[in-house]
């Protein structure tokens, strides 16, 4: 559509951008809105695509942003639980969308009931999380796997008794072996010979997934894949609200506050963190309108209540 002007014709789109820029919706934003609507409809119809995450990365998030050059240690705390991630010197710490890899691995391990995960191609994982098919995305995926594969995880608890501190931690890696290939041809499912994609989870990681599989909504993970902090908060709230016995208050700040659990360390100012948190909550409520999480009146705590984010029969039998 065009608009006539003195020197000729002008695209109506450019006129609209000049006169009412607030009405312009980018393709990326439009895709996100469509994804959120899809999550909401499937939830209302109890047709959610059930996935799983592992407990360490629900209780404590991986880094949200790229860590500074040379930083190889990431630590988060959730009450008495402590997560430490040590990155490989050649690949660095996992961060950002790398958190989708453990979700994919945990989901496939539960579905296939085996620490040896087999899948058709890397395109399957890209499709699972709504990532575009192509060489650049595949290279990003390979880099994510390298950072995840090279990372060493310390996860456990510490508590203070009357006489001494009690510390219990487990050390593990995600995988012991990984072989992944990618084809631009969507019809090509397998390569000739013994070239199927295969990932072997470490015994410790597989045991943790089996003992504490945390249900999640894969469509929601897809919708929030470009917002890692909101994705962390959604998975944490799904778990926290399901296990709540009633209305409970979680502090936002301090050594045991929510700010110490999420994978973000740059929100040192309380006001900045509250602003970000409210934005993440609004995004989550768009997909899960009944989400009971609310920031308290003085802005120092988050109220949660018992609720269910994933409405499937399998969740009723999950072992948290």
């Amino acid at each position: 559509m065009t608009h006539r002007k003195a020197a000729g014709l002008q695209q109506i789109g450019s006129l609209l951008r000049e006169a009412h820029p607030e009405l312009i919706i980018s393709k990326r934003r439009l895709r996100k809105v469509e994804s959120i609507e899809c999550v909401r409809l499937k939830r209302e119809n109890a047709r959610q695509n059930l996935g799983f995450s592992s407990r360490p990365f629900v209780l404590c998030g991986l880094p949200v942003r790229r860590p500074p050059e040379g930083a190889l240690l990431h630590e988060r705390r959730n009450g008495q639980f402590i997560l430490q991630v040590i990155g490989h010197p050649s690949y660095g710490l996992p961060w950002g969308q790398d958190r989708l890899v453990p979700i994919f691995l945990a989901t496939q391990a539960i579905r296939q009931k085996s620490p040896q995960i087999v899948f058709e191609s890397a395109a399957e994982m890209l499709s699972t999380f709504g990532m575009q098919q192509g060489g650049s995305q595949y290279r990003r995926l390979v880099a994510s796997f390298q950072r995840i594969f090279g990372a060493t995880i310390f996860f456990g608890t510490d508590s203070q008794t009357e006489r001494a501190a009690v510390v219990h931690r487990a050390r593990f890696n995600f995988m012991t072996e990984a072989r992944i290939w990618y084809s631009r041809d969507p019809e090509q499912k397998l390569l000739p010979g013994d070239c199927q994609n295969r990932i072997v989870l470490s015994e410790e990681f597989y045991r943790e997934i089996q003992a504490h599989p945390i249900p999640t909504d894969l469509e929601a993970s897809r919708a929030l894949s470009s917002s890692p902090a909101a994705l962390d908060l959604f998975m944490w709230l799904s778990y926290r609200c399901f296990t709540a016995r009633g209305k409970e208050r979680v502090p936002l700040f301090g050594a045991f506050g929510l700010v110490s659990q999420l994978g973000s360390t740059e929100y040192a100012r309380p006001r900045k963190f509250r602003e970000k948190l409210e934005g993440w909550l609004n995004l989550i409520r768009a997909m899960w309108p009944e989400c009971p999480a609310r920031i308290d009146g003085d802005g120092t705590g988050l109220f949660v209540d018992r609720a269910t984010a994933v409405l499937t029969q399998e969740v009723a039998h999950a072992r948290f």
Side-chain angles (χ1 to χ4, degrees), residues 32-49 217-224 234 283-289 309 311:
K32 192 165 190 175
V33 170
E34 291 172 345
S35 296
I36 290 174
E37 181 65 17
C38 177
V39 172
R40 189 163 175 168
L41 287 174
K42 287 192 173 184
R43 184 178 188 280
E44 291 173 353
N45 295 319
R47 292 190 296 108
Q48 289 162 296
N49 188 6
D217 182 346
L218 283 183
E219 294 292 344
S221 299
R222 173 186 294 187
L224 297 173
F234 172 78
L283 193 56
I284 291 169
R285 292 187 196 111
M287 298 184 298
W288 179 19
L311 303 175

Side-chain angles (χ1 to χ4, degrees), residues 67 70-72 85-95 98 143 146-148 150-151:
L72 294 178
V85 183
I86 300 177
H88 191 282
S90 299
Y91 308 126
L93 284 165
W95 63 280
D98 295 356
Q146 287 175 330
R147 287 188 288 268
I148 292 291

Side-chain angles (χ1 to χ4, degrees), residues 230-268:
L231 175 56
D232 283 355
L233 183 63
F234 172 78
M235 292 195 297
W236 177 80
L237 281 173
S238 299
Y239 167 78
R240 191 66 177 77
C241 292
F242 186 85
T243 58
R245 296 182 178 181
K247 190 173 184 179
E248 300 173 0
R249 182 182 181 277
V250 179
L252 295 185
F253 307 105
F256 296 92
L258 186 60
V259 72
S260 297
Q261 301 171 29
L262 300 180
S264 179
T265 59
E266 64 268 30
Y267 304 119

Side-chain angles (χ1 to χ4, degrees), residues 118-135:
V118 178
F119 55 101
E120 292 179 346
S121 77
E124 180 181 339
M125 181 174 170
L126 294 176
S127 176
T128 298
F129 295 107
M131 301 168 72
Q132 295 181 352
Q133 306 292 315

Side-chain angles (χ1 to χ4, degrees), residues 189-233:
K189 301 298 183 183
L190 297 173
L191 291 178
D194 183 23
C195 291
Q196 59 185 344
N197 288 272
R198 189 166 74 101
I199 294 174
V200 181
L201 302 183
S202 69
E203 181 181 347
E204 296 81 5
F205 185 47
Y206 182 62
R207 192 163 56 236
E208 171 64 36
I209 294 170
Q210 283 187 308
H212 305 283
I214 309 297
T216 191
D217 182 346
L218 283 183
E219 294 292 344
S221 299
R222 173 186 294 187
L224 297 173
S225 61
S226 60
S227 304
L231 175 56
D232 283 355
L233 183 63

Side-chain angles (χ1 to χ4, degrees), residues 48-55 57-58 99-113 117 128-129 205 208-219 221 231 235 310 312-320:
Q48 289 162 296
N49 188 6
L50 182 65
F52 292 90
S53 188
S54 53
R55 184 178 56 160
F57 309 106
V58 172
R99 63 203 350 96
L100 299 177
V101 174
I103 297 174
F104 180 79
L105 296 178
T107 299
Q108 295 302 321
I110 294 296
R111 289 178 177 178
Q112 299 182 22
K113 300 179 180 179
I117 298 170
T128 298
F129 295 107
F205 185 47
E208 171 64 36
I209 294 170
Q210 283 187 308
H212 305 283
I214 309 297
T216 191
D217 182 346
L218 283 183
E219 294 292 344
S221 299
L231 175 56
M235 292 195 297
V310 185
T312 65
Q313 292 295 322
E314 294 94 324
V315 173
H317 305 290
R319 303 179 306 279
F320 284 9

